[in-house]
Tab-separated table of all heavy atoms in Angstrom:
chain	number	residue	atom	x	y	z
A	82	GLN	N	15.270	6.461	23.161
A	82	GLN	CA	15.811	5.923	24.411
A	82	GLN	C	14.686	5.406	25.304
A	82	GLN	O	14.840	4.384	25.988
A	82	GLN	CB	16.630	6.983	25.149
A	82	GLN	CG	17.936	7.378	24.470
A	82	GLN	CD	19.008	6.310	24.573
A	82	GLN	OE1	18.841	5.279	25.217
A	82	GLN	NE2	20.154	6.563	23.932
A	83	TRP	N	13.545	6.111	25.294
A	83	TRP	CA	12.403	5.659	26.105
A	83	TRP	C	11.899	4.309	25.608
A	83	TRP	O	11.617	3.404	26.403
A	83	TRP	CB	11.270	6.681	26.038
A	83	TRP	CG	10.069	6.260	26.833
A	83	TRP	CD1	9.824	6.484	28.156
A	83	TRP	CD2	8.963	5.480	26.359
A	83	TRP	NE1	8.638	5.898	28.532
A	83	TRP	CE2	8.083	5.271	27.452
A	83	TRP	CE3	8.625	4.950	25.119
A	83	TRP	CZ2	6.896	4.558	27.334
A	83	TRP	CZ3	7.440	4.221	25.000
A	83	TRP	CH2	6.596	4.042	26.088
A	84	VAL	N	11.775	4.149	24.287
A	84	VAL	CA	11.322	2.869	23.738
A	84	VAL	C	12.324	1.773	24.067
A	84	VAL	O	11.945	0.646	24.415
A	84	VAL	CB	11.116	2.963	22.210
A	84	VAL	CG1	10.713	1.610	21.643
A	84	VAL	CG2	10.051	3.998	21.879
A	85	ASN	N	13.605	2.078	23.971
A	85	ASN	CA	14.632	1.093	24.297
A	85	ASN	C	14.496	0.623	25.743
A	85	ASN	O	14.567	-0.579	26.028
A	85	ASN	CB	16.015	1.688	24.081
A	85	ASN	CG	17.124	0.692	24.358
A	85	ASN	OD1	17.364	-0.223	23.583
A	85	ASN	ND2	17.801	0.860	25.499
A	86	PHE	N	14.309	1.567	26.657
A	86	PHE	CA	14.160	1.216	28.068
A	86	PHE	C	12.918	0.355	28.272
A	86	PHE	O	12.957	-0.665	28.975
A	86	PHE	CB	14.074	2.485	28.910
A	86	PHE	CG	13.856	2.228	30.379
A	86	PHE	CD1	14.898	1.803	31.187
A	86	PHE	CD2	12.597	2.396	30.940
A	86	PHE	CE1	14.694	1.542	32.538
A	86	PHE	CE2	12.386	2.141	32.294
A	86	PHE	CZ	13.443	1.722	33.092
A	87	HIS	N	11.816	0.749	27.643
A	87	HIS	CA	10.558	0.013	27.790
A	87	HIS	C	10.696	-1.416	27.274
A	87	HIS	O	10.306	-2.373	27.959
A	87	HIS	CB	9.447	0.743	27.033
A	87	HIS	CG	8.140	0.020	27.027
A	87	HIS	ND1	7.266	0.050	28.094
A	87	HIS	CD2	7.559	-0.774	26.088
A	87	HIS	CE1	6.207	-0.688	27.802
A	87	HIS	NE2	6.356	-1.195	26.598
A	88	LEU	N	11.250	-1.578	26.076
A	88	LEU	CA	11.366	-2.909	25.482
A	88	LEU	C	12.372	-3.785	26.227
A	88	LEU	O	12.133	-4.982	26.418
A	88	LEU	CB	11.778	-2.794	24.011
A	88	LEU	CG	10.734	-2.236	23.044
A	88	LEU	CD1	11.319	-2.117	21.644
A	88	LEU	CD2	9.492	-3.121	23.028
A	89	SER	N	13.496	-3.210	26.638
A	89	SER	CA	14.500	-4.008	27.347
A	89	SER	C	13.971	-4.459	28.706
A	89	SER	O	14.240	-5.590	29.140
A	89	SER	CB	15.805	-3.235	27.503
A	89	SER	OG	15.612	-2.048	28.228
A	90	CYS	N	13.200	-3.612	29.378
A	90	CYS	CA	12.599	-3.998	30.664
A	90	CYS	C	11.562	-5.094	30.460
A	90	CYS	O	11.502	-6.059	31.232
A	90	CYS	CB	11.952	-2.790	31.336
A	90	CYS	SG	13.117	-1.629	32.064
A	91	GLU	N	10.736	-4.952	29.413
A	91	GLU	CA	9.703	-5.952	29.124
A	91	GLU	C	10.343	-7.308	28.845
A	91	GLU	O	9.885	-8.344	29.346
A	91	GLU	CB	8.881	-5.495	27.913
A	91	GLU	CG	7.740	-6.421	27.529
A	91	GLU	CD	6.560	-6.322	28.479
A	91	GLU	OE1	6.513	-5.363	29.275
A	91	GLU	OE2	5.713	-7.230	28.434
A	92	ARG	N	11.404	-7.320	28.072
A	92	ARG	CA	12.083	-8.574	27.745
A	92	ARG	C	12.681	-9.203	28.992
A	92	ARG	O	12.597	-10.422	29.186
A	92	ARG	CB	13.181	-8.306	26.703
A	92	ARG	CG	13.925	-9.548	26.248
A	92	ARG	CD	14.930	-9.190	25.160
A	92	ARG	NE	15.875	-8.184	25.619
A	92	ARG	CZ	16.971	-8.450	26.334
A	92	ARG	NH1	17.228	-9.694	26.681
A	92	ARG	NH2	17.789	-7.482	26.700
A	93	THR	N	13.265	-8.378	29.855
A	93	THR	CA	13.870	-8.898	31.084
A	93	THR	C	12.827	-9.531	31.995
A	93	THR	O	13.053	-10.591	32.594
A	93	THR	CB	14.589	-7.769	31.837
A	93	THR	OG1	15.612	-7.226	31.001
A	93	THR	CG2	15.220	-8.289	33.119
A	94	LEU	N	11.657	-8.914	32.080
A	94	LEU	CA	10.608	-9.409	32.973
A	94	LEU	C	9.913	-10.655	32.432
A	94	LEU	O	9.565	-11.565	33.186
A	94	LEU	CB	9.562	-8.308	33.203
A	94	LEU	CG	10.014	-7.109	34.037
A	94	LEU	CD1	8.955	-6.025	34.023
A	94	LEU	CD2	10.333	-7.535	35.474
A	95	VAL	N	9.698	-10.693	31.117
A	95	VAL	CA	8.946	-11.792	30.520
A	95	VAL	C	9.836	-12.981	30.186
A	95	VAL	O	9.588	-14.110	30.617
A	95	VAL	CB	8.200	-11.303	29.250
A	95	VAL	CG1	7.489	-12.473	28.565
A	95	VAL	CG2	7.216	-10.218	29.619
A	96	ASP	N	10.884	-12.745	29.398
A	96	ASP	CA	11.780	-13.823	28.980
A	96	ASP	C	13.096	-13.209	28.512
A	96	ASP	O	13.178	-12.683	27.408
A	96	ASP	CB	11.150	-14.631	27.850
A	96	ASP	CG	12.024	-15.800	27.406
A	96	ASP	OD1	13.125	-15.963	27.964
A	96	ASP	OD2	11.606	-16.542	26.490
A	97	PRO	N	14.131	-13.258	29.339
A	97	PRO	CA	15.418	-12.640	28.971
A	97	PRO	C	16.012	-13.178	27.679
A	97	PRO	O	16.823	-12.508	27.039
A	97	PRO	CB	16.324	-12.974	30.167
A	97	PRO	CG	15.376	-13.211	31.297
A	97	PRO	CD	14.163	-13.835	30.680
A	98	GLN	N	15.616	-14.396	27.280
A	98	GLN	CA	16.151	-14.999	26.066
A	98	GLN	C	15.376	-14.595	24.813
A	98	GLN	O	15.814	-14.834	23.700
A	98	GLN	CB	16.145	-16.534	26.191
A	98	GLN	CG	16.913	-17.059	27.395
A	98	GLN	CD	18.361	-16.597	27.403
A	98	GLN	OE1	19.033	-16.636	26.378
A	98	GLN	NE2	18.839	-16.148	28.552
A	99	GLN	N	14.206	-13.992	25.011
A	99	GLN	CA	13.364	-13.621	23.878
A	99	GLN	C	13.853	-12.322	23.238
A	99	GLN	O	14.076	-11.327	23.921
A	99	GLN	CB	11.904	-13.435	24.331
A	99	GLN	CG	10.967	-12.934	23.247
A	99	GLN	CD	10.800	-13.936	22.117
A	99	GLN	OE1	10.392	-15.070	22.352
A	99	GLN	NE2	11.122	-13.526	20.901
A	100	ILE	N	14.009	-12.337	21.920
A	100	ILE	CA	14.378	-11.129	21.192
A	100	ILE	C	13.124	-10.322	20.895
A	100	ILE	O	12.138	-10.852	20.385
A	100	ILE	CB	15.099	-11.476	19.876
A	100	ILE	CG1	16.421	-12.185	20.159
A	100	ILE	CG2	15.337	-10.220	19.042
A	100	ILE	CD1	17.128	-12.669	18.914
A	101	MET	N	13.147	-9.054	21.252
A	101	MET	CA	12.046	-8.143	20.936
A	101	MET	C	12.666	-6.768	20.753
A	101	MET	O	12.922	-6.053	21.718
A	101	MET	CB	10.999	-8.113	22.041
A	101	MET	CG	9.799	-7.244	21.726
A	101	MET	SD	8.596	-7.236	23.067
A	101	MET	CE	7.324	-6.177	22.376
A	102	GLY	N	12.958	-6.422	19.527
A	102	GLY	CA	13.635	-5.156	19.283
A	102	GLY	C	13.396	-4.662	17.879
A	102	GLY	O	12.604	-5.219	17.119
A	103	SER	N	14.093	-3.595	17.526
A	103	SER	CA	13.915	-2.998	16.212
A	103	SER	C	15.126	-2.148	15.855
A	103	SER	O	15.699	-1.479	16.714
A	103	SER	CB	12.659	-2.114	16.191
A	103	SER	OG	12.490	-1.478	14.943
A	104	THR	N	15.506	-2.181	14.590
A	104	THR	CA	16.442	-1.191	14.083
A	104	THR	C	15.614	0.006	13.625
A	104	THR	O	14.396	-0.103	13.424
A	104	THR	CB	17.271	-1.751	12.917
A	104	THR	OG1	16.389	-2.148	11.858
A	104	THR	CG2	18.092	-2.950	13.376
A	105	VAL	N	16.260	1.149	13.429
A	105	VAL	CA	15.505	2.351	13.056
A	105	VAL	C	16.396	3.314	12.284
A	105	VAL	O	17.608	3.403	12.530
A	105	VAL	CB	14.930	3.064	14.302
A	105	VAL	CG1	16.042	3.569	15.213
A	105	VAL	CG2	14.000	4.216	13.904
A	106	MET	N	15.788	4.026	11.340
A	106	MET	CA	16.415	5.150	10.655
A	106	MET	C	15.406	6.293	10.669
A	106	MET	O	14.281	6.134	10.189
A	106	MET	CB	16.780	4.793	9.214
A	106	MET	CG	17.270	5.978	8.374
A	106	MET	SD	18.730	6.800	9.027
A	106	MET	CE	19.945	5.491	8.797
A	107	THR	N	15.804	7.421	11.228
A	107	THR	CA	14.933	8.586	11.314
A	107	THR	C	15.559	9.756	10.574
A	107	THR	O	16.761	10.000	10.693
A	107	THR	CB	14.701	8.988	12.788
A	107	THR	OG1	14.196	7.868	13.517
A	107	THR	CG2	13.713	10.139	12.895
A	108	LEU	N	14.742	10.471	9.831
A	108	LEU	CA	15.167	11.686	9.129
A	108	LEU	C	14.394	12.864	9.686
A	108	LEU	O	13.161	12.824	9.767
A	108	LEU	CB	14.918	11.557	7.629
A	108	LEU	CG	15.125	12.821	6.781
A	108	LEU	CD1	16.608	13.196	6.740
A	108	LEU	CD2	14.581	12.621	5.370
A	109	VAL	N	15.119	13.905	10.073
A	109	VAL	CA	14.505	15.150	10.548
A	109	VAL	C	15.009	16.269	9.651
A	109	VAL	O	16.221	16.403	9.436
A	109	VAL	CB	14.881	15.442	12.014
A	109	VAL	CG1	14.182	16.707	12.506
A	109	VAL	CG2	14.523	14.261	12.909
A	110	ALA	N	14.092	17.075	9.099
A	110	ALA	CA	14.479	18.142	8.178
A	110	ALA	C	13.887	19.468	8.621
A	110	ALA	O	12.779	19.515	9.170
A	110	ALA	CB	14.019	17.810	6.760
A	111	GLN	N	14.644	20.518	8.355
A	111	GLN	CA	14.187	21.851	8.747
A	111	GLN	C	15.022	22.936	8.066
A	111	GLN	O	16.237	22.974	8.217
A	111	GLN	CB	14.288	22.015	10.270
A	111	GLN	CG	13.706	23.312	10.803
A	111	GLN	CD	13.588	23.261	12.325
A	111	GLN	OE1	13.579	22.186	12.920
A	111	GLN	NE2	13.485	24.412	12.927
A	112	SER	N	14.375	23.805	7.286
A	112	SER	CA	14.979	25.018	6.734
A	112	SER	C	16.359	24.792	6.098
A	112	SER	O	17.347	25.402	6.508
A	112	SER	CB	15.096	26.086	7.829
A	112	SER	OG	13.825	26.379	8.367
A	113	GLY	N	16.418	23.896	5.122
A	113	GLY	CA	17.667	23.682	4.410
A	113	GLY	C	18.673	22.810	5.114
A	113	GLY	O	19.785	22.615	4.616
A	114	ARG	N	18.304	22.265	6.267
A	114	ARG	CA	19.184	21.350	6.992
A	114	ARG	C	18.426	20.068	7.283
A	114	ARG	O	17.196	20.059	7.398
A	114	ARG	CB	19.663	21.957	8.311
A	114	ARG	CG	20.561	23.161	8.182
A	114	ARG	CD	20.926	23.691	9.563
A	114	ARG	NE	21.705	22.715	10.340
A	114	ARG	CZ	21.651	22.635	11.672
A	114	ARG	NH1	20.848	23.396	12.367
A	114	ARG	NH2	22.411	21.751	12.302
A	115	ALA	N	19.161	18.992	7.417
A	115	ALA	CA	18.551	17.714	7.750
A	115	ALA	C	19.532	16.901	8.577
A	115	ALA	O	20.736	17.170	8.598
A	115	ALA	CB	18.156	16.947	6.496
A	116	ALA	N	19.003	15.891	9.243
A	116	ALA	CA	19.842	14.985	10.023
A	116	ALA	C	19.208	13.608	10.037
A	116	ALA	O	17.984	13.476	10.054
A	116	ALA	CB	20.027	15.495	11.439
A	117	CYS	N	20.044	12.602	9.991
A	117	CYS	CA	19.624	11.219	10.189
A	117	CYS	C	20.104	10.780	11.563
A	117	CYS	O	21.217	11.112	11.980
A	117	CYS	CB	20.238	10.299	9.138
A	117	CYS	SG	19.560	10.527	7.497
A	118	ILE	N	19.264	10.035	12.253
A	118	ILE	CA	19.654	9.446	13.530
A	118	ILE	C	19.183	7.996	13.504
A	118	ILE	O	18.031	7.726	13.166
A	118	ILE	CB	19.088	10.256	14.717
A	118	ILE	CG1	19.536	9.653	16.051
A	118	ILE	CG2	17.577	10.401	14.647
A	118	ILE	CD1	19.264	10.563	17.240
A	119	TRP	N	20.077	7.064	13.838
A	119	TRP	CA	19.729	5.661	13.616
A	119	TRP	C	20.462	4.720	14.558
A	119	TRP	O	21.436	5.083	15.214
A	119	TRP	CB	20.026	5.278	12.178
A	119	TRP	CG	21.463	5.074	11.800
A	119	TRP	CD1	22.132	3.881	11.730
A	119	TRP	CD2	22.428	6.075	11.438
A	119	TRP	NE1	23.444	4.074	11.334
A	119	TRP	CE2	23.642	5.420	11.155
A	119	TRP	CE3	22.377	7.471	11.337
A	119	TRP	CZ2	24.793	6.103	10.777
A	119	TRP	CZ3	23.522	8.159	10.960
A	119	TRP	CH2	24.710	7.481	10.687
A	120	ALA	N	19.946	3.483	14.552
A	120	ALA	CA	20.590	2.345	15.215
A	120	ALA	C	20.274	1.117	14.382
A	120	ALA	O	19.109	0.839	14.087
A	120	ALA	CB	20.081	2.169	16.639
A	121	GLY	N	21.303	0.408	13.949
A	121	GLY	CA	21.096	-0.794	13.164
A	121	GLY	C	21.447	-0.620	11.706
A	121	GLY	O	22.270	0.218	11.343
A	122	ASP	N	20.795	-1.415	10.833
A	122	ASP	CA	21.186	-1.449	9.429
A	122	ASP	C	20.118	-0.943	8.471
A	122	ASP	O	20.194	-1.209	7.264
A	122	ASP	CB	21.630	-2.857	9.026
A	122	ASP	CG	20.540	-3.904	9.221
A	122	ASP	OD1	19.460	-3.563	9.760
A	122	ASP	OD2	20.766	-5.067	8.832
A	123	CYS	N	19.107	-0.214	8.949
A	123	CYS	CA	18.279	0.551	8.021
A	123	CYS	C	19.161	1.671	7.460
A	123	CYS	O	20.076	2.142	8.142
A	123	CYS	CB	17.063	1.155	8.732
A	123	CYS	SG	15.862	-0.058	9.318
A	124	ARG	N	18.881	2.112	6.251
A	124	ARG	CA	19.777	3.073	5.598
A	124	ARG	C	19.062	4.347	5.161
A	124	ARG	O	17.847	4.369	4.968
A	124	ARG	CB	20.432	2.436	4.366
A	124	ARG	CG	21.483	1.406	4.698
A	124	ARG	CD	22.159	0.905	3.429
A	124	ARG	NE	23.171	-0.106	3.734
A	124	ARG	CZ	23.880	-0.755	2.809
A	124	ARG	NH1	23.677	-0.493	1.527
A	124	ARG	NH2	24.772	-1.660	3.183
A	125	CYS	N	19.888	5.383	4.972
A	125	CYS	CA	19.460	6.638	4.361
A	125	CYS	C	20.364	6.921	3.167
A	125	CYS	O	21.589	6.934	3.305
A	125	CYS	CB	19.533	7.792	5.361
A	125	CYS	SG	19.111	9.408	4.631
A	126	TYR	N	19.742	7.114	2.006
A	126	TYR	CA	20.449	7.496	0.793
A	126	TYR	C	20.009	8.892	0.363
A	126	TYR	O	18.861	9.288	0.602
A	126	TYR	CB	20.127	6.533	-0.353
A	126	TYR	CG	20.656	5.136	-0.212
A	126	TYR	CD1	19.876	4.122	0.339
A	126	TYR	CD2	21.923	4.796	-0.679
A	126	TYR	CE1	20.343	2.818	0.445
A	126	TYR	CE2	22.403	3.492	-0.582
A	126	TYR	CZ	21.604	2.515	-0.023
A	126	TYR	OH	22.078	1.225	0.074
A	127	LEU	N	20.906	9.598	-0.306
A	127	LEU	CA	20.617	10.911	-0.877
A	127	LEU	C	20.986	10.899	-2.352
A	127	LEU	O	22.116	10.541	-2.707
A	127	LEU	CB	21.422	11.997	-0.157
A	127	LEU	CG	21.510	13.373	-0.831
A	127	LEU	CD1	20.145	14.059	-0.873
A	127	LEU	CD2	22.527	14.257	-0.109
A	128	LEU	N	20.027	11.270	-3.203
A	128	LEU	CA	20.330	11.467	-4.624
A	128	LEU	C	20.329	12.966	-4.888
A	128	LEU	O	19.313	13.643	-4.718
A	128	LEU	CB	19.286	10.789	-5.509
A	128	LEU	CG	19.580	10.897	-7.014
A	128	LEU	CD1	20.785	10.039	-7.392
A	128	LEU	CD2	18.366	10.499	-7.848
A	129	ARG	N	21.494	13.479	-5.308
A	129	ARG	CA	21.641	14.909	-5.580
A	129	ARG	C	22.299	15.070	-6.952
A	129	ARG	O	23.426	14.626	-7.159
A	129	ARG	CB	22.465	15.590	-4.497
A	129	ARG	CG	22.777	17.076	-4.762
A	129	ARG	CD	23.497	17.700	-3.583
A	129	ARG	NE	22.648	17.764	-2.401
A	129	ARG	CZ	23.112	17.969	-1.157
A	129	ARG	NH1	24.424	18.100	-0.946
A	129	ARG	NH2	22.273	18.034	-0.142
A	130	ARG	N	21.563	15.690	-7.875
A	130	ARG	CA	22.065	15.942	-9.229
A	130	ARG	C	22.603	14.665	-9.877
A	130	ARG	O	23.669	14.661	-10.501
A	130	ARG	CB	23.129	17.036	-9.210
A	130	ARG	CG	22.606	18.370	-8.669
A	130	ARG	CD	23.629	19.448	-8.754
A	130	ARG	NE	23.102	20.691	-8.178
A	130	ARG	CZ	23.730	21.412	-7.260
A	130	ARG	NH1	24.907	21.023	-6.793
A	130	ARG	NH2	23.199	22.528	-6.808
A	131	GLY	N	21.873	13.574	-9.684
A	131	GLY	CA	22.218	12.325	-10.331
A	131	GLY	C	23.270	11.494	-9.633
A	131	GLY	O	23.601	10.404	-10.089
A	132	VAL	N	23.793	11.987	-8.510
A	132	VAL	CA	24.823	11.256	-7.765
A	132	VAL	C	24.207	10.696	-6.480
A	132	VAL	O	23.546	11.428	-5.730
A	132	VAL	CB	26.021	12.161	-7.422
A	132	VAL	CG1	27.079	11.384	-6.652
A	132	VAL	CG2	26.620	12.751	-8.691
A	133	LEU	N	24.430	9.409	-6.238
A	133	LEU	CA	23.866	8.745	-5.068
A	133	LEU	C	24.891	8.690	-3.938
A	133	LEU	O	26.025	8.265	-4.142
A	133	LEU	CB	23.434	7.323	-5.424
A	133	LEU	CG	22.704	6.543	-4.326
A	133	LEU	CD1	21.339	7.153	-4.047
A	133	LEU	CD2	22.563	5.068	-4.723
A	134	PHE	N	24.466	9.119	-2.749
A	134	PHE	CA	25.303	9.068	-1.555
A	134	PHE	C	24.610	8.203	-0.504
A	134	PHE	O	23.409	8.334	-0.288
A	134	PHE	CB	25.521	10.470	-0.961
A	134	PHE	CG	26.134	11.462	-1.906
A	134	PHE	CD1	25.327	12.269	-2.701
A	134	PHE	CD2	27.514	11.583	-2.017
A	134	PHE	CE1	25.878	13.192	-3.578
A	134	PHE	CE2	28.076	12.503	-2.881
A	134	PHE	CZ	27.261	13.316	-3.666
A	135	GLN	N	25.362	7.320	0.152
A	135	GLN	CA	24.840	6.604	1.308
A	135	GLN	C	25.198	7.433	2.533
A	135	GLN	O	26.361	7.531	2.914
A	135	GLN	CB	25.415	5.200	1.418
A	135	GLN	CG	24.819	4.405	2.581
A	135	GLN	CD	25.392	3.008	2.691
A	135	GLN	OE1	25.687	2.366	1.674
A	135	GLN	NE2	25.552	2.522	3.916
A	136	ILE	N	24.193	8.028	3.153
A	136	ILE	CA	24.419	8.932	4.280
A	136	ILE	C	24.811	8.169	5.542
A	136	ILE	O	25.659	8.606	6.317
A	136	ILE	CB	23.158	9.778	4.549
A	136	ILE	CG1	22.798	10.618	3.317
A	136	ILE	CG2	23.348	10.673	5.763
A	136	ILE	CD1	23.831	11.647	2.952
A	137	SER	N	24.193	7.033	5.763
A	137	SER	CA	24.397	6.268	6.995
A	137	SER	C	25.381	5.126	6.784
A	137	SER	O	25.633	4.698	5.663
A	137	SER	CB	23.069	5.706	7.495
A	137	SER	OG	22.488	4.865	6.499
A	138	GLU	N	25.934	4.647	7.889
A	138	GLU	CA	26.767	3.438	7.878
A	138	GLU	C	26.109	2.402	8.773
A	138	GLU	O	25.696	2.701	9.898
A	138	GLU	CB	28.171	3.742	8.397
A	138	GLU	CG	29.086	2.533	8.384
A	138	GLU	CD	30.512	2.862	8.801
A	138	GLU	OE1	31.310	3.247	7.936
A	138	GLU	OE2	30.818	2.738	10.006
A	139	ASP	N	25.998	1.178	8.262
A	139	ASP	CA	25.316	0.115	9.006
A	139	ASP	C	26.003	-0.188	10.332
A	139	ASP	O	27.238	-0.232	10.401
A	139	ASP	CB	25.277	-1.176	8.178
A	139	ASP	CG	24.555	-1.016	6.862
A	139	ASP	OD1	23.794	-0.049	6.702
A	139	ASP	OD2	24.754	-1.889	5.982
Side-chain angles (χ1 to χ4, degrees):
Q82 291 287 356
W83 179 87
V84 177
N85 182 74
F86 177 77
H87 175 80
L88 290 177
S89 60
C90 285
E91 182 75 14
R92 182 177 58 83
T93 300
L94 290 172
V95 176
D96 182 359
Q98 303 303 315
Q99 175 65 58
I100 296 175
M101 183 180 181
S103 178
T104 59
V105 63
M106 172 59 67
T107 305
L108 172 68
V109 183
Q111 186 168 340
S112 302
R114 294 178 64 211
C117 289
I118 182 168
W119 75 97
D122 60 355
C123 293
R124 288 184 181 177
C125 176
Y126 292 94
L127 166 66
L128 183 70
R129 175 175 294 164
R130 300 184 182 129
V132 180
L133 185 68
F134 303 91
Q135 183 180 324
I136 300 296
S137 59
E138 181 176 273
D139 300 342

